[in-house]
Amino acid sequence: SLVVGDRDIYPSPADGLWLLFYVLMYLAIVHLVKARMARFLPSLWLDGAVGGLGAASLAAALVLQPVLTQTQGSVPVVLTNLAYPVADILLVTFLVTAWTAMGTRNPSWWLFAAGVVVLCVGDIRFLFAEAADAYVEGGLLDITWPLSAVLVGLAACVRQSDRVAAEFHAGWQRRRNRL
């Protein structure tokens, strides 16, 4: 608002910052996994990337194809509107890949995942509403973005005790040894 004032500019400089948020989320996930895994194999990420991109392309085809037929406007507007749900889908698949690799039951990951899912649902719902020219500012949909930020923030505040982590690892090793 300070930069654009009362002018209706879309995409705005804020969109660039929001898209930077996704890059920071990807980096945060990588950092969390590296900090919690004793042995971090690059092949693990490659396996996850293949599965994640396959799932993302399927989701993009199911979600984005109907919207593409309805979306109208200039190329920057269409690209900006599509960038959010695509980034959300990739973020969810990245998070699921990391979660699967770690096998964690940490409450912070549940909150983090819930925040990402709420963000994804809000962005995709916004895209459908915007494509149908039915989005109304100040509605229930607008709650999804601050709610997702609160959930991700709460995830950062939850700490897993060393005892819980040790018990989880011991249980994981027992299950692994049975296989």
Side-chain angles (χ1 to χ4, degrees):
S1 295
L2 294 174
V3 173
V4 298
D6 290 338
R7 294 177 290 163
D8 189 22
I9 297 176
Y10 188 75
S12 74
D15 289 302
L17 294 173
W18 275 110
L19 293 172
L20 177 64
F21 162 80
Y22 290 99
V23 173
L24 297 175
M25 291 290 278
Y26 299 134
L27 293 174
I29 293 170
V30 169
H31 177 72
L32 287 171
V33 171
K34 280 186 173 183
R36 287 175 172 81
M37 286 187 72
R39 198 164 166 220
F40 183 78
L41 300 173
S43 63
L44 184 66
W45 282 106
L46 185 58
D47 290 344
V50 169
L53 289 173
S57 61
L58 178 65
L62 295 174
V63 171
L64 299 179
Q65 185 58 39
V67 173
L68 282 173
T69 59
Q70 295 178 354
T71 302
Q72 48 190 315
S74 68
V75 172
V77 169
V78 172
L79 290 177
T80 302
N81 283 344
L82 291 176
Y84 289 108
V86 168
D88 288 329
I89 291 167
L90 289 174
L91 186 60
V92 168
T93 55
F94 199 64
L95 180 64
V96 168
T97 301
W99 198 348
T100 303
M102 291 179 49
T104 185
R105 293 185 183 153
N106 186 334
S108 66
W109 278 91
W110 285 99
L111 287 168
F112 190 79
V116 169
V117 167
V118 167
L119 178 70
C120 185
V121 167
D123 285 346
I124 290 172
R125 181 66 192 116
F126 171 78
L127 184 61
F128 277 105
E130 187 69 19
D133 202 25
Y135 173 70
V136 179
E137 204 169 307
L140 286 177
L141 178 61
D142 289 348
I143 294 171
T144 59
W145 298 297
L147 177 61
S148 71
V150 167
L151 290 170
V152 169
L154 285 174
C157 296
V158 173
R159 302 214 28 112
Q160 183 179 17
S161 72
D162 292 336
R163 182 184 60 78
V164 172
E167 288 174 359
F168 173 75
H169 274 339
W172 180 254
Q173 289 300 329
R174 282 192 299 273
R175 278 184 264 145
R176 215 163 126 185
N177 290 338
R178 280 187 257 155
L179 297 175

